[in-house]
Amino acid sequence: MTDPTTTLLILGASGDLTRRLLLPGLGTLLRAEPDRTVRVLGADRVELGEQDWQGMVRESLAEAEVPEQVADTVAGDAAYRQTDLLERDQLQALLAAVESPVVLYFALPPAVTVKVCALLEELGVPAGTRLALEKPFGDSLESAQELNRQLLRVVPEGDIFRIDHFLGVNTILNLIGIRFANRLLQPIWSAEHIERVEISYDETLALEGRAGYYDHAGALMDMIQSHLLEILAFFAMEAPATMHAEEIRGLKAQALRATRAWKHDPVQASRRARYTAGEIEGRQIPDYAAEEGVDPERATETLAALTVQLDNARWAGVPFVLRSGKALGEAAKRVVVTFRAPAHVPAGLKDTPAPDRLVLELKPGSVGLELSMNAEGDPFELEQKSLHAELGKPRMLPYGEILGAILDGNPLLTIRGDEAEELWRIVEPVLAAWRADDVPLEEYAAGSDGPDGWE
Ligand code: NDP
């Protein structure tokens, strides 16, 4: 369990991820688990006084309402070292000054992370050092394989934590309970009973000044290649015997290995579109192509849909539709399971109004089961009724869950090397089809529900 001496060394301590997600996540972790002790060390090339860094840490902990005494200890113990991490001597001096065991958290631009890893390979790290790596993990199957090989020359796989913060979202972990902890759903979780699955992450947010990152990624890489395929893996994996990390990660990898574009045709299986000017909740949204920092020639999609299938006995023939986009009229962050029609509805009852569905809302979390039942009023008619459960507020932010697991040395909420490669193997044929312009880039007005003709 918790090692009281673990140092969390954040590389890229003055960046956006650290400020907006890591430190607030740490705050909620320490609020939920105030007995945990952790030393927070920051390193970045930016000039920052020790007191400024301590102030940043203190502010995040205060905002999360960490007990004052705990916040004082952690913030008072926090240290900052200005370091150009690409300078071998400076990196070596930084590592020499840190007490083991240490988690090296790469909150750096991806290209810098790769170079720092190459230097670590030369310099070596103390036994037990853990590496925490952010997405994107490579930008192709080949680069992900190369990065995996490189990391394994630094530390063993068990000490590599590839982050996907969606795995810290409690509603996604709920898939395990919903699937395996009750007698009702487990036996019907297969192609025999399920007709279709949709995993959506539609946002009303537009670019919000993130062109530098997003215009190079696009919706497919930003959301589907990582987060939505990971949700699919939790959804579709076989039953684990325990919550042991290696067991769950092995089953997820197995599900991903079976996953391919629908009918093995990446052109027909995928769609892409980009938003034009429009209005969302009273906000005027400019044309994506005209946003500062966007290169329209790059033809980056802001909405992507990909239908995949799992070539295995459990899921043969079931389409899994993954969809994510920005600047849409309505947010839709959910998993929708559509069940097959019953084998026979007694003659004399008027027909089923709609298929039965299970709807797992990711934000805020809830589970709804929409079932056909006798209608109120006329009992010979049928209507859809919903059984609904709200999922309680999470005990901490997703990054809190993930940091806690990394500090405990538990890789359950992170991605294993072979999974990371599978995620690229699945989307690469789609990216190739898009680059070849085999799939048209459609348009939709910001604030609409997507291009005409999309479901
Ligand atoms: P930023 O560019 O905001 O932060 C990176 C930090 O690293 C900057 O302070 C930068 O300094 C510093 N840095 C760059 N090169 C060096 C170097 N040679 N030595 C020391 N410090 C250096 O990036 P983000 O925080 O946005 O992203 C970090 C990682 O997290 C990326 O992999 C990203 O994909 C991932 N991520 C980010 C999310 C977000 O919302 N921001 C969400 C999910 C993942 P300088 O400013 O001087 O360049």
Side-chain angles (χ1 to χ4, degrees):
M1 278 304 289
T2 314
D3 183 332
T5 64
T6 301
T7 299
L8 174 63
L9 170 49
I10 302 178
L11 309 175
S14 128
D16 185 61
L17 178 84
T18 305
R19 192 183 63 256
R20 275 194 323 111
L21 296 168
L22 283 185
L23 293 180
L26 179 69
T28 59
L29 171 67
L30 291 172
R31 180 188 62 209
E33 299 176 9
D35 292 339
R36 209 180 251 286
T37 52
V38 54
R39 192 176 310 115
V40 190
L41 194 57
D44 200 297
R45 65 180 172 191
V46 174
E47 194 179 341
L48 202 68
E50 186 116 307
Q51 293 208 329
D52 297 327
W53 173 244
Q54 290 183 345
M56 270 171 75
V57 174
R58 192 183 304 276
E59 205 175 298
S60 291
L61 302 193
E63 215 150 283
E65 295 172 5
V66 173
E68 216 166 292
Q69 203 185 344
V70 177
D72 281 348
T73 309
V74 175
D77 223 20
Y80 179 82
R81 285 181 72 105
Q82 186 181 2
T83 310
D84 185 338
L85 298 159
L86 294 180
E87 287 296 326
R88 192 190 148 93
D89 294 347
Q90 293 189 33
L91 179 62
Q92 192 167 27
L94 174 71
L95 293 176
V98 182
E99 270 176 58
S100 287
V102 61
V103 173
L104 298 183
Y105 200 112
F106 291 83
L108 294 165
V112 180
T113 293
V114 171
K115 289 183 190 153
V116 174
C117 287
L119 282 176
L120 291 179
E121 197 185 325
E122 285 173 31
L123 295 171
V125 295
T129 299
R130 293 168 216 159
L131 308 182
L133 291 118
E134 273 295 338
K135 76 162 200 182
F137 191 81
D139 55 10
S140 63
L141 174 58
E142 198 186 344
S143 60
Q145 287 168 332
E146 179 49 38
L147 185 51
N148 273 336
R149 283 193 290 270
Q150 188 181 43
L151 293 171
L152 287 173
R153 293 192 291 266
V154 182
V155 297
E157 175 66 37
D159 289 327
I160 304 170
F161 296 77
R162 297 173 195 78
I163 313 295
D164 178 342
H165 72 274
F166 268 45
L167 303 191
V169 174
N170 69 336
T171 39
I172 288 164
L173 289 176
N174 257 292
L175 273 169
I176 296 189
I178 287 173
R179 288 193 56 192
F180 302 119
N182 68 75
R183 190 69 193 224
L184 286 182
L185 294 176
Q186 188 179 12
I188 61 168
W189 213 257
S190 68
E192 198 186 338
H193 302 282
I194 290 177
E195 190 171 84
R196 173 188 174 88
V197 180
E198 287 154 68
I199 303 175
S200 312
Y201 205 87
D202 283 359
E203 297 180 89
T204 52
L205 287 181
L207 190 58
E208 317 288 325
R210 292 188 66 217
Y213 160 71
Y214 193 83
D215 200 42
H216 293 270
L220 182 71
M221 282 209 252
D222 183 42
M223 293 300 301
I224 295 180
Q225 187 272 341
S226 47
H227 309 312
L228 301 196
L229 279 171
E230 276 292 313
I231 298 177
L232 171 126
F234 268 111
F235 183 98
M237 71 182 184
E238 295 301 314
T242 69
M243 287 298 287
H244 190 277
E246 279 330 302
E247 187 170 347
I248 302 257
R249 300 202 310 171
L251 291 169
K252 278 165 57 203
Q254 182 192 45
L256 292 171
R257 275 197 296 278
T259 304
R260 295 198 165 39
W262 182 246
K263 297 198 191 302
H264 297 195
D265 181 349
V267 174
Q268 294 300 322
S270 65
R271 304 190 87 166
R272 57 178 179 145
R274 185 166 74 178
Y275 67 79
T276 54
E279 189 183 311
I280 305 175
E281 291 155 2
R283 287 177 294 134
Q284 294 303 318
I285 307 293
D287 194 335
Y288 176 81
E291 288 264 28
E292 200 185 324
V294 166
D295 175 2
E297 293 303 311
R298 228 179 252 130
T300 301
E301 80 288 353
T302 57
L303 173 65
L306 171 64
T307 306
V308 296
Q309 63 190 44
L310 272 76
D311 291 340
N312 64 19
R314 180 181 291 274
W315 295 114
V318 178
F320 287 78
V321 183
L322 314 176
R323 165 183 156 133
S324 181
K326 284 192 178 295
L328 290 152
E330 214 175 299
K333 300 170 181 177
R334 58 177 74 110
V335 180
V336 178
V337 184
T338 304
F339 293 100
R340 294 191 189 284
H344 175 72
V345 177
L349 284 180
K350 291 194 196 120
D351 225 342
T352 315
D356 298 334
R357 303 194 317 164
L358 176 82
V359 181
L360 176 68
E361 295 285 352
L362 302 174
K363 272 187 185 175
S366 71
V367 183
L369 194 52
E370 299 168 2
L371 298 177
S372 293
M373 300 183 191
N374 294 67
E376 286 173 37
D378 182 349
F380 294 98
E381 272 190 12
L382 294 172
E383 70 180 16
Q384 204 86 23
K385 291 271 187 200
S386 178
L387 311 179
H388 192 81
E390 299 288 329
L391 300 173
K393 247 183 103 181
R395 59 187 182 150
M396 56 180 93
L397 289 170
Y399 268 97
E401 291 285 357
I402 287 181
L403 283 172
I406 298 175
L407 291 170
D408 290 343
N410 179 0
L412 175 65
L413 302 181
T414 54
I415 296 175
R416 206 168 63 184
D418 54 340
E419 275 184 81
E421 293 177 16
E422 287 303 317
L423 296 172
W424 282 114
R425 199 262 313 141
I426 295 164
V427 300
E428 272 207 335
V430 181
L431 288 169
W434 290 10
R435 279 188 206 114
D437 234 356
D438 291 339
V439 176
L441 180 65
E442 299 175 60
E443 288 189 339
Y444 61 101
S448 70
D449 58 3
D452 291 342
W454 286 40
E455 286 172 41

